[in-house]
Each structure stands twice: as C-alpha cells, then as structure tokens.
Amino acid sequence: MDHRLLEIIACPVCKGKLHFDKDNHELICKFDRLAYPIQDGIPVLLEPEARILSAEEVM
C-alpha cells in the first residue's frame, strides 16, 4: 500500500484516518470498527463491503 495514498484517503463513514493492516490486506477504521478490503491493490471503500472488527481486533 502506497503511503502517499494512505495520507489522502479517509473512512467513507466518519471521514477519519485509515490504518493499513499488512497481514490481512485491509484498511482499518478504529473509530467505526470497520475493515475495508484491498482487492488487486485497490481499496474497496464501500461500507457494505467492510468487515466489522471484533473488540480484540480494534486494540
């Protein structure tokens, strides 16, 4: 994931900062507890496509 891209994209729900989860190839919004998938190198920033994070994953 390009770090320059991470600086300009935001969570589509809260407009907050997203964090890259290298192991799961996801962009994480800790505030909304959502994980957005990255498919073929492209972030899928659609709320219906996001996975809800468990309390343990948010920590």
Side-chain angles (χ1 to χ4, degrees):
M1 172 70 19
D2 186 349
H3 292 285
R4 292 175 292 177
L5 180 61
L6 277 175
E7 292 177 13
I8 60 173
I9 61 174
C11 174
V13 177
C14 72
K15 311 299 185 245
K17 185 170 179 66
L18 294 171
H19 303 276
F20 178 56
D21 180 349
K22 183 178 175 181
D23 296 331
N24 295 321
H25 300 285
E26 295 175 322
L27 293 174
I28 306 295
C29 177
K30 292 182 179 182
F31 183 77
D32 293 317
R33 294 179 37 197
L34 294 173
Y36 296 95
I38 299 173
Q39 298 175 350
D40 298 323
I42 301 169
V44 181
L45 298 176
L46 301 171
E47 187 177 2
E49 297 292 321
R51 177 175 68 83
I52 298 173
L53 297 171
S54 66
E56 296 84 37
E57 290 179 295
V58 176
M59 295 296 192

